[in-house]
Amino acid sequence: RFVPNDLLTRTYNACCILLNDHWEDMRTAGFVSNRIYDALAAETFVISDRVTGMDPELEDCIVTYDSPEDLRQKIRYYMEHPAERAEKARRGKELVLRKHTFAQRTELIREQLDGCAGVLI
């Protein structure tokens, strides 16, 4: 169901584990879901399907799975290890605030477009 943006942090914080998966075209193109960044910014622990390039980008702040059985095992493990969940969530929040805010993305886009003919920045 739809969750309004102003309730997103509260909703994410209400869960022990946030499960994420990607559309096949996103996964194939290496496009990481915004949900991961939103959840990490809210200091929420995330388990997601694997997307090429995601692990190095997120510096081991989330857990990925490769099969339904792998997902079940990781859910069981992390439900029994709340301190590990909390540490990954804490590191994830620090990472997002350090490298992945909207202001930082906007500046990166501006840098990439600087000097492009016909583009108003």
Side-chain angles (χ1 to χ4, degrees), residues 78-89:
Y78 283 102
M79 287 303 292
E80 295 172 3
H81 295 88
E84 288 184 47
R85 288 194 325 257
E87 177 61 17
K88 283 188 178 286

Side-chain angles (χ1 to χ4, degrees), residues 20-22 26 31-38 51 54:
N20 179 75
D21 67 343
H22 293 81
M26 292 173 68
F31 183 80
V32 179
S33 168
N34 286 350
R35 174 180 290 161
I36 290 177
Y37 295 99
D38 291 344
V51 171
M54 182 168 59

Side-chain angles (χ1 to χ4, degrees), residues 51-60 95 99:
V51 171
T52 302
M54 182 168 59
D55 292 334
E57 175 64 22
L58 295 173
E59 299 176 10
D60 195 37
L95 172 72
K99 292 177 63 177

Side-chain angles (χ1 to χ4, degrees), residues 42-101:
E43 202 167 332
T44 300
F45 176 76
V46 179
I47 297 179
S48 179
D49 58 341
R50 192 177 307 276
V51 171
T52 302
M54 182 168 59
D55 292 334
E57 175 64 22
L58 295 173
E59 299 176 10
D60 195 37
C61 295
I62 68 167
V63 172
T64 57
Y65 67 91
D66 295 307
S67 68
E69 182 54 34
D70 186 32
L71 174 60
R72 281 189 287 276
Q73 289 174 359
K74 287 177 176 173
I75 290 171
R76 280 192 291 273
Y77 176 85
Y78 283 102
M79 287 303 292
E80 295 172 3
H81 295 88
E84 288 184 47
R85 288 194 325 257
E87 177 61 17
K88 283 188 178 286
R90 183 193 62 74
R91 286 194 338 256
K93 180 176 183 173
E94 288 176 357
L95 172 72
V96 168
L97 295 178
R98 187 176 70 247
K99 292 177 63 177
H100 300 290
T101 65

